[in-house]
Amino acid sequence: MYDDQATQDERVVEDEETLADPLDELDAQLSRLRSVADELRGSRGKAVLTGNQVELIEDGPTLLRTYERLQEEAKREVRVLDRPPYVTPPSNQQQLELDRLRAGVCYRAIYGTEVFESQDIMGVLPELQSAGEVSRVLAQVPMKMAVGDDDTALIGLTKRAVGDYHLLIRSSGLLDGLIATFEMLWALSIPMPALPFSGDFTSLRPADRDILLLLAGGATDDKISRHLRISPRTTQRRVRALMESLGAQTRFQAGVQAARRRWI
């Protein structure tokens, strides 16, 4: 009996070791998408997948029309990965989303922390949230993407430029992978803080701003202590006090909410 149990335990360990890291799967997915885009750029109009399931989009006006059509045709849900830069100001797209929300379409959006530096998106986000958009935040959003129902995805494959290339992906295994990627990132993200601008925090010490910046970047207490040349005990005490002041449950939440309040 003990031998059987030991064998089962070994199998469990082996199974755990063979499980793929979700982030490795995400990297592989992005690599595949870039490969498809390169093939499309080289073939110009020839189908890479059967039935023209992938379409290359290279100009801004076509991109905007495609994004609007994706939202207009969605009957149940639009899922979005969002971060700057933008082809057009978010305020130009705000009314369409509000209309679709009123029509009963659910919107779930994951924003990169860069949006806290974008007056454009922060100017429209409160109204979108009030209308029903469910928003979350993630430190690293790997790409820009919109998914209409489970039928169509529009993705951008560059991190900083808006004018390179986008892919429109219809029902396929590739689309299923993108939807799974969104849901994985949704599970990793945190709710967007709905906090009003409150100005400077009167008890915020000069070192606290640096602590919050490091927290938002994922730094450990040891790294903060070394970087700021303060004792580990002082670091732990200040991190705990800052999290309590911000009502944050995690260190990353503290960094995000500090950015939302303009403390950093």
Side-chain angles (χ1 to χ4, degrees):
M1 181 177 68
Y2 291 111
D3 290 342
D4 290 343
Q5 183 62 48
T7 302
Q8 290 177 7
D9 291 342
E10 289 173 359
R11 288 173 181 169
V12 168
V13 171
E14 290 175 358
D15 290 342
E16 290 176 349
E17 289 177 348
T18 58
L19 287 176
D21 186 324
L23 295 181
D24 289 341
E25 293 180 7
L26 177 57
D27 287 341
Q29 184 76 2
L30 290 174
S31 177
R32 183 185 179 197
L33 290 168
R34 293 190 178 96
S35 176
V36 169
D38 289 340
E39 288 186 52
L40 281 167
R41 289 169 71 87
S43 59
R44 294 294 175 185
K46 296 179 183 178
V48 174
L49 297 179
T50 304
N52 291 318
Q53 294 160 307
V54 180
E55 179 182 338
L56 182 67
I57 299 174
E58 294 186 277
D59 68 90
T62 301
L63 172 64
L64 291 175
R65 288 195 300 271
T66 303
Y67 181 43
E68 290 171 355
R69 188 168 64 250
L70 180 149
Q71 295 179 79
E72 291 165 351
E73 293 178 353
K75 300 296 189 293
R76 303 182 307 278
E77 181 179 38
V78 174
R79 288 170 276 201
V80 178
L81 296 177
D82 193 18
R83 66 180 181 204
Y86 299 101
V87 175
T88 187
S91 55
N92 291 356
Q93 292 289 317
Q94 178 183 16
Q95 189 57 52
L96 176 56
E97 179 173 340
L98 291 172
D99 291 343
R100 299 306 293 150
L101 284 165
R102 281 193 287 268
V105 177
C106 171
Y107 274 71
R108 284 193 289 152
I110 303 173
Y111 294 94
T113 50
E114 308 99 309
V115 300
F116 292 121
E117 302 301 321
S118 171
Q119 294 183 354
D120 288 334
I121 191 63
M122 297 312 294
V124 303
L125 189 54
E127 185 174 1
L128 295 177
Q129 287 181 314
S130 297
E133 177 184 290
V134 183
S135 310
R136 297 179 74 90
V137 183
L138 190 64
Q140 297 291 332
V141 171
M143 59 186 170
K144 299 183 74 166
M145 178 174 74
V147 181
D149 292 332
D150 294 330
D151 304 322
T152 309
L154 179 64
I155 66 169
L157 296 178
T158 55
K159 289 189 175 182
R160 299 299 172 193
V162 297
D164 202 338
Y165 50 84
H166 292 72
L167 295 179
L168 179 65
I169 301 173
R170 301 177 180 87
S171 296
S172 62
L174 199 57
L175 177 61
D176 294 340
L178 289 171
I179 292 172
T181 295
F182 178 91
E183 296 300 340
M184 180 192 72
L185 295 175
W186 184 261
L188 293 172
S189 59
I190 65 170
M192 172 71 77
L195 299 172
F197 172 74
S198 59
D200 289 334
F201 183 38
T202 56
S203 61
L204 195 66
R205 304 175 186 178
D208 289 340
R209 194 177 306 276
D210 293 329
I211 289 175
L212 288 167
L213 283 167
L214 290 166
L215 284 177
T220 63
D221 285 351
D222 287 342
K223 183 175 181 179
I224 293 172
S225 297
R226 291 195 302 271
H227 184 79
L228 300 181
R229 296 183 179 180
I230 57 179
S231 71
R233 181 172 295 181
T234 298
T235 298
Q236 292 170 5
R237 184 172 63 251
R238 292 308 302 163
V239 167
R240 186 164 53 250
L242 289 167
M243 289 178 62
E244 290 175 356
S245 297
L246 288 160
Q249 300 299 313
T250 68
R251 299 159 66 88
F252 177 58
Q253 282 183 344
V256 168
Q257 296 198 29
R260 181 67 181 90
R261 293 192 184 196
R262 308 296 196 271
W263 290 5
I264 57 177

